[in-house]
Amino acid sequence: MQNVQVKAESSAEPIVYVVDDDEEMRGALLDLFMVTKKRATAFPNGMEFLQAADTNAAGCVVVDLRMPGGTGLDLQKQLISIGSKMPIIFLTAYADIPTSVRAMKAGATDFITKPFVNQDLLEAVDHAIQLDSERRKTDAEGDRIRGLADTLTPREKDVLWQVVSGLMNKQVAYELGISEMTVKLHRMSVMRKMESKSLADLVRKAELLQKSA
């Protein structure tokens, strides 16, 4: 098995996983990533990749579409099934439009036909890593906001959803069967616990909560 890490840097640095049954191609890709100062590791098939790789690592996967013992699409399905969100770039020697559409619909970030221009692949990898970084930031922010929401009492949550729906305090009081003063107190508590200094920020956080529900 060729499993060569071309840079021994911090594991926090994004990694490019190469999965290709062609040994010459694996070596060429590792060389390409080495000279462009990217951390990379290669595997000859999906099974060895899944056994040894950190599928939750920051980075992306560059995988050959057609490999004996399991295609790139098979690997994509397995990654999805285990909850991995690593971006995938497919390499293929065949211009198979239906397959490429299927791969992209399943979440692939790019589909590159061999032989390819090195710069095109490098740009695809940079784009995939950027998307992964942005997704991780969004996930982290979602986790933080869910943590804030968990500190709300049931009544405060009721007030939160009424307020972000656009209702005024008087309307919220009517809907919940409580006094307007009680609504005001709950609203102040919600703003404090959700760390929001404006209604716009509270609405943004509520939208993230709904998306992650």
Side-chain angles (χ1 to χ4, degrees), residues 50 55-56 73-85 88 106:
L50 290 171
T55 56
N56 290 315
L73 287 178
D74 291 332
L75 178 58
Q76 182 184 39
K77 291 176 183 177
Q78 289 174 297
L79 286 172
I80 292 172
S81 71
I82 62 177
S84 173
K85 298 180 181 179
I88 300 176

Side-chain angles (χ1 to χ4, degrees), residues 16-37:
V16 182
Y17 286 121
V18 175
V19 185
D20 198 309
D21 63 301
D22 185 327
E23 184 175 358
E24 185 175 343
M25 177 59 71
R26 292 198 305 274
L29 289 174
L30 287 178
D31 288 343
L32 174 63
F33 295 134
M34 178 177 64
V35 299
T36 53
K37 303 186 185 304

Side-chain angles (χ1 to χ4, degrees), residues 49-125:
F49 163 73
L50 290 171
Q51 289 175 342
D54 178 2
T55 56
N56 290 315
C60 68
V61 182
V62 177
V63 58
D64 186 33
L65 180 64
R66 298 192 179 188
M67 297 180 291
T71 68
L73 287 178
D74 291 332
L75 178 58
Q76 182 184 39
K77 291 176 183 177
Q78 289 174 297
L79 286 172
I80 292 172
S81 71
I82 62 177
S84 173
K85 298 180 181 179
M86 290 192 79
I88 300 176
I89 299 169
F90 283 99
L91 300 179
T92 179
Y94 307 92
D96 186 339
I97 294 177
T99 301
S100 65
V101 170
R102 197 156 64 248
M104 298 299 281
K105 283 185 176 180
T109 60
D110 221 323
F111 203 93
I112 298 177
T113 303
K114 301 175 183 177
F116 52 82
V117 177
N118 286 346
Q119 187 58 36
D120 290 343
L121 177 59
L122 291 173
E123 289 177 359
V125 167

Side-chain angles (χ1 to χ4, degrees), residues 155 171-179 183:
R155 180 57 82 188
Q171 294 170 310
V172 175
Y174 175 80
E175 290 293 329
L176 298 181
I178 56 180
S179 70
V183 171

